[in-house]
Amino acid sequence: MDPKPRPNHRRYIEALRAMTPEARLQQAFDLSEMANKLFRQGLRERFPDLPEDEFHQLYLKRLEKCHNQNY
């Protein structure tokens, strides 16, 4: 049994099933892009004075920690 109530989960699954494969893939890309932007924004808020080149290196280093190393 799911300990966290998700009252709209069934609707969400139905909406996904109604989408074309292309639309589901586009939604996955959109969600990935949004997560990436939020990740960068949060990192920038933590390091507002870091020069852009150093920030980019930090971003890449932190992003690498997020990736699954099993593939």
Side-chain angles (χ1 to χ4, degrees), residues 35-65:
N36 190 10
K37 286 179 180 179
L38 288 171
F39 180 68
R40 283 186 69 91
Q41 179 181 350
L43 201 56
R44 180 47 87 184
E45 287 176 8
R46 290 187 63 200
F47 301 96
D49 300 326
L50 205 59
E52 187 56 38
D53 58 334
E54 291 179 37
F55 175 78
H56 185 68
Q57 290 304 313
L58 175 67
Y59 165 75
L60 292 176
K61 187 176 180 181
R62 297 282 176 97
L63 191 60
E64 187 176 336
K65 287 183 179 183

Side-chain angles (χ1 to χ4, degrees), residues 11-21 23-24:
R11 270 198 209 154
Y12 176 69
I13 296 300
E14 289 171 2
L16 287 176
R17 287 180 177 157
M19 297 169 92
T20 65
R24 285 195 305 272

Side-chain angles (χ1 to χ4, degrees), residues 22-41:
E22 293 83 6
R24 285 195 305 272
L25 182 60
Q26 184 60 53
Q27 183 165 5
F29 287 147
D30 293 345
L31 289 171
S32 180
E33 182 180 351
M34 183 177 68
N36 190 10
K37 286 179 180 179
L38 288 171
F39 180 68
R40 283 186 69 91
Q41 179 181 350

Side-chain angles (χ1 to χ4, degrees), residues 3-15:
K4 183 177 179 183
R6 298 184 286 173
N8 295 317
H9 184 70
R10 183 176 295 163
R11 270 198 209 154
Y12 176 69
I13 296 300
E14 289 171 2

